[in-house]
Amino acid sequence: MSNGAYATAYERSINDPDAFWGEAATAIEWITPPTTVLDASRPPFYRWFTGGTLNTCFNALDRHVRDGRGDQVALYYDSPVTEVKSSLTYAALLDQVSRFAGALAGLGVTKGDRVLVYMPMVPEAVVAMLACARLGAVHSVVFGGFAPAELSARIEDAKPKVIVSATCGIEPSRTIAYRPMLEGGIDRSEHKPEHVIMLQRPQLTSEPGPQAHPWVEHDWHALLVSAQQAGCVEVAATDPLYILYTSGTTGRPKGIVRDNGGHAVALRWSMENIYDIHPGEVWFTASDVGWVVGHSYIVYAPLLTGATTILYEGKPVGTPDASAFWRIISEYGAKAMFTAPTAYRAIKREDPGGEKMAGHDISGLRNVFLAGERLDPDTYHWANDILHCEVVDNWWQTETGWPIAANLRGLDPMPIKPGSPSVRVPGYDVQVLDEVGALCDRGNEGAIAIRLPLPPGTLPTLWQDDDRYVSGYLSVYEGYYLTGDGGLIDEDGYVYVMGRTDDVLNVAGHRLSTGSIEAALAGHPDVAECAVIGVADDFKGQIPRGLVVLKGGIDAQAEGERIRKELVQRVRDEVGAVASLKQVDIVAALPKTRSGKILRKTMRELADGKVPTIPGTIEDASVLDALKDTLAHTQH
Ligand code: COA
Ligand code: AMP
């Protein structure tokens, strides 16, 4: 490992976090500078930059306009699915954001109120997020691919005063009407918003139905025309900027809270030190604003940096073909891009020889960053061979909001070891622990945990649920945050992340909960019991499989086909097509421990062709034996 800039920065970040992060904080403009850098007065709840006040939107927009970047493009919108391309300068984006903030304020939104954003990849989604930040309101963006059950769980927990939505999302194969999902989501929730703001998209317009609703619907454009511009509201560094729900193992999503101060400091630092992107440069993240990668690296980090971001409403393939990314990179002059490995596997599958690169000049590209799931060495080598620039894995999660392990391209680029996201990022004291919480020797696999405190920008807690934060993340190993991933650190300090140790699914870089999919299956009238497991898939990394036990008296032979089809459809309708559940097997019984816990991990191992871990507490081993053949056949 390098003994240079990285080693010095890492050592300082862990041993003198006040100095390290105090210095990083000078890149952010504060209204009142913080009085404390690391506030350790209430462990295990650590806070950053207490006493400081700022506004995140000011740092992302106003200050750049003030400092002469008004005419620089802040955001390129490129939408092959609607054949629209447009751009917004920093001045234009500021104008839209301050007017939309005025519109929200006109509806009574003030500091601390929640605003839920359920939108496709359109610039208005970014405008809505930044407008909330401007008012000190807390946004909660819900991925547009989620169906009513997922949406309603988020409405219930966040209790938004306003929901901002659009009439449709556009997938290459179809137009997705949002209104039925939005109304379905609100109907199922006890909490109702006071207002819904609807962006009418020309591809599918829709008006509210005749039924009476407790909320008032407003048209995005009409509201904006009459709105006054709103200024920036001063918030505490520790005030929440947003809540982003993520999947745990149960059906109840976890509301990850992001604060204002730590977030701004960490993202600004990461942009130059990890991603090597500087003010004025163009950066392309192909993800969705509904995921953490979209929050951090489509919206906040590039704008906090004064860089130019690209919002891409399309896919790596099929819109129109595997040249999509190369076109974007060359057309806008992107210096680096970021996406999930699955996207590169999709391109590899369509265009293994990279012929579609012809005619696109991507020589300005310095790095391609991949995260969201494990970067398998095959995909790494393929991408590396065709790209002629560095392909850089980085590991993190919704909870952290920015990388835990990375190759720090701007600080101290290091040799890349395929299969590893490289080293611990400054601020993260990552350790590998065994079952009793002892440190594993270098090279030995265990649970990856991070010694507290976590660095700025990471979750301070779960939304209004300190207890769940502690029980879900901090209670397994005293003094550590449990990442939920297993892996090792090698002799050179490189981290290897092998996969989740819990039942969280990762399908095409989308994090999904087994619990939500199980809840959808269990709601079918013929199902007595069910389990969902994530099995290995060459393309999507993982895909879910469902196993169901039917209620007594149902003839599986005669009814099986119908029930299986209905179950697949139920998951699409409740959770979303993004769950990608295609295979449901009807089985006689599910393997359990004597206390009734379903042995999902054992089934997963069998499906993946691994030697299964069979706990001594298994209730009836013959149940597992009977499932072996079924599990061995995954439809890919
Ligand atoms: N709204 C509505 N539906 C959506 C959606 C959205 N935003 N995103 C995906 N879906 C639907 C898809 O249309 C598909 O429906 P189908 O079953 O009817 O075909 C289904 O959900 C599964 O989608 P996906 O897993 O994305 O598979 P895909 O075959 O459509 O595309 C990739 C595969 C690799 C091209 C795509 O997953 C991709 O671009 N991945 C990049 C990963 C990424 O962005 N990760 C986010 C974190 S970095
Ligand atoms: P999400 O919260 O959606 O970002 O998902 C986080 C999870 O995705 C992590 O806990 C890992 O299991 C997985 N993950 C993300 N990035 C990587 C990576 N670079 N290598 C391996 N796994 C990853």
Side-chain angles (χ1 to χ4, degrees):
M1 198 205 311
S2 155
N3 287 320
Y6 164 70
T8 310
Y10 184 77
E11 200 268 334
R12 196 158 162 251
S13 74
I14 302 300
N15 295 327
D16 193 357
D18 283 352
F20 185 86
W21 291 114
E23 209 169 277
T26 59
I28 292 303
E29 202 162 307
W30 300 86
I31 299 169
T32 312
T35 44
T36 308
V37 176
L38 170 61
D39 177 356
S41 59
R42 200 170 69 93
F45 299 95
Y46 295 91
R47 302 308 309 250
W48 291 92
F49 308 115
T50 41
T53 64
L54 76 162
N55 182 280
T56 296
C57 180
F58 177 86
N59 276 279
L61 299 178
D62 304 60
R63 84 180 275 201
H64 301 312
V65 174
R66 183 200 61 196
D67 295 346
R69 290 192 185 280
D71 294 335
Q72 181 192 314
V73 172
L75 182 143
Y76 285 114
Y77 169 54
D78 189 300
S79 170
V81 292
T82 58
E83 297 181 346
V84 173
K85 289 180 192 178
S86 62
S87 63
L88 285 165
T89 61
Y90 269 97
L93 185 56
L94 173 59
D95 177 61
Q96 289 215 6
V97 167
S98 46
R99 281 195 294 130
F100 193 66
L104 288 174
L107 298 180
V109 173
T110 57
K111 183 171 149 182
D113 286 340
R114 273 80 58 216
V115 174
L116 189 138
V117 179
Y118 181 57
M119 293 185 102
M121 286 286 284
V122 290
E124 287 84 352
V126 180
V127 170
M129 291 165 78
L130 291 167
C132 291
R134 193 167 190 82
L135 297 178
V138 181
H139 63 70
S140 186
V141 183
V142 178
F143 173 57
F146 278 136
E150 294 289 329
L151 181 58
S152 83
R154 287 154 173 81
I155 296 172
E156 198 74 275
D157 198 67
K159 303 197 174 12
K161 191 178 249 182
V162 175
I163 298 186
V164 187
S165 191
T167 47
C168 65
I170 298 153
E171 286 294 287
S173 57
R174 63 196 190 285
T175 298
I176 316 248
Y178 275 25
R179 186 180 292 282
M181 292 200 271
L182 176 69
E183 293 185 355
I186 305 176
D187 282 347
R188 288 164 181 233
S189 160
E190 295 254 311
H191 174 85
K192 311 290 177 200
E194 291 172 25
H195 302 275
V196 167
I197 301 174
M198 191 61 105
L199 174 75
Q200 295 285 341
R201 299 192 79 188
Q203 293 75 19
L204 180 75
T205 56
S206 79
E207 295 306 321
Q211 70 276 39
H213 288 307
W215 63 90
V216 183
E217 182 167 322
H218 309 265
D219 173 69
W220 172 289
H221 294 291
L223 205 61
L224 217 56
V225 168
S226 56
Q228 304 281 321
Q229 295 202 332
C232 291
V233 172
E234 179 174 3
V235 299
T238 50
D239 279 339
L241 170 69
Y242 69 75
I243 310 166
L244 178 57
Y245 287 87
T246 190
S247 302
T249 30
T250 69
R252 216 178 110 225
K254 300 175 181 181
I256 305 302
V257 176
R258 195 81 60 214
D259 66 12
N260 276 275
H263 173 255
V265 171
L267 290 198
R268 181 71 183 85
W269 187 89
S270 74
M271 217 43 196
E272 296 200 49
N273 289 282
I274 298 177
Y275 298 107
D276 193 24
I277 290 292
H278 306 270
E281 292 187 326
V282 180
W283 157 260
F284 171 34
T285 297
S287 175
D288 189 289
V289 287
W291 303 113
V292 70
V293 171
H295 277 62
S296 293
Y297 293 106
I298 295 175
V299 183
Y300 285 109
L303 298 179
L304 286 164
T305 303
T308 296
T309 190
I310 300 171
L311 185 80
Y312 173 60
E313 189 181 25
K315 303 271 173 179
V317 294
T319 55
D321 58 29
S323 69
F325 285 179
W326 322 136
R327 172 185 69 79
I328 299 232
I329 292 163
S330 65
E331 203 168 312
Y332 302 104
K335 295 289 177 229
M337 84 158 290
F338 188 163
T339 190
T342 314
Y344 269 71
R345 287 198 293 270
I347 301 171
K348 177 175 162 217
R349 198 163 73 167
E350 293 255 325
D351 181 26
E355 271 101 30
K356 294 280 182 197
M357 275 181 168
H360 301 291
D361 178 8
I362 62 162
S363 57
L365 197 68
R366 293 193 289 256
N367 293 295
V368 167
F369 295 95
L370 298 175
E373 56 175 327
R374 184 165 177 269
L375 173 57
D376 54 288
D378 274 1
T379 307
Y380 165 78
H381 285 299
W382 176 81
N384 211 39
D385 287 350
I386 64 158
L387 278 167
H388 308 295
C389 75
E390 290 295 348
V391 176
V392 187
D393 188 2
N394 51 126
W395 166 60
W396 48 294
Q397 28 185 230
T398 307
E399 288 84 344
T400 65
W402 64 289
I404 310 169
N407 199 299
L408 293 102
R409 307 307 296 170
L411 178 70
D412 190 0
M414 293 173 194
I416 284 175
K417 295 195 191 187
S420 165
S422 299
V423 296
R424 300 178 291 186
V425 167
Y428 291 96
D429 188 353
V430 182
Q431 301 293 344
V432 177
L433 306 178
D434 67 15
E435 311 82 69
V436 293
L439 294 180
C440 290
D441 288 336
R442 288 286 162 111
N444 285 354
E445 215 175 309
I448 313 184
I450 307 169
R451 205 193 303 263
L452 297 175
L454 295 174
T458 56
L459 80 171
T461 188
L462 294 179
W463 178 247
Q464 295 193 327
D465 205 345
D466 284 353
D467 290 348
R468 193 173 178 206
Y469 171 56
V470 172
S471 64
Y473 296 102
L474 309 183
S475 62
V476 176
Y477 301 115
E478 176 79 33
Y480 286 89
Y481 163 87
L482 189 72
T483 64
D485 283 307
L488 58 89
I489 302 180
D490 77 3
E491 292 294 340
D492 298 324
Y494 279 61
V495 180
Y496 287 77
V497 183
M498 305 307 189
R500 300 287 305 191
T501 53
D502 53 19
D503 294 320
V504 166
L505 303 169
N506 192 321
V507 182
H510 308 314
R511 180 162 158 186
L512 300 164
S513 112
T514 44
S516 304
I517 304 178
E518 285 175 1
L521 295 177
H524 189 285
D526 296 339
V527 170
E529 244 193 327
C530 66
V532 167
I533 55 170
V535 299
D537 181 74
D538 283 349
F539 176 44
K540 294 199 174 183
Q542 228 181 16
I543 47 169
R545 281 185 59 179
L547 297 125
V548 300
V549 179
L550 298 182
K551 285 184 180 157
I554 298 172
D555 181 351
Q557 203 67 27
E559 302 287 337
E561 196 47 34
R562 169 188 63 82
I563 296 172
R564 273 194 292 269
K565 276 199 184 128
E566 286 173 3
L567 288 169
V568 166
Q569 191 58 43
R570 262 189 82 82
V571 171
R572 289 176 72 88
D573 294 344
E574 297 270 305
V575 180
V578 74
S580 298
L581 179 78
K582 302 262 183 322
Q583 185 179 0
V584 179
D585 291 295
I586 296 173
V587 299
L590 293 169
K592 292 180 189 162
T593 61
R594 282 194 285 276
S595 60
K597 191 174 170 292
I598 295 175
L599 297 174
R600 292 186 189 80
K601 183 172 169 224
T602 313
M603 290 195 281
R604 196 165 70 208
E605 287 165 341
L606 277 168
D608 289 345
K610 293 185 183 155
V611 180
T613 334
I614 303 176
T617 53
I618 189 165
E619 187 187 34
D620 179 356
S622 70
V623 171
L624 196 62
D625 286 340
L627 280 182
K628 277 185 181 152
D629 283 347
T630 305
L631 287 169
H633 293 104
T634 299
Q635 298 159 10
H636 293 281

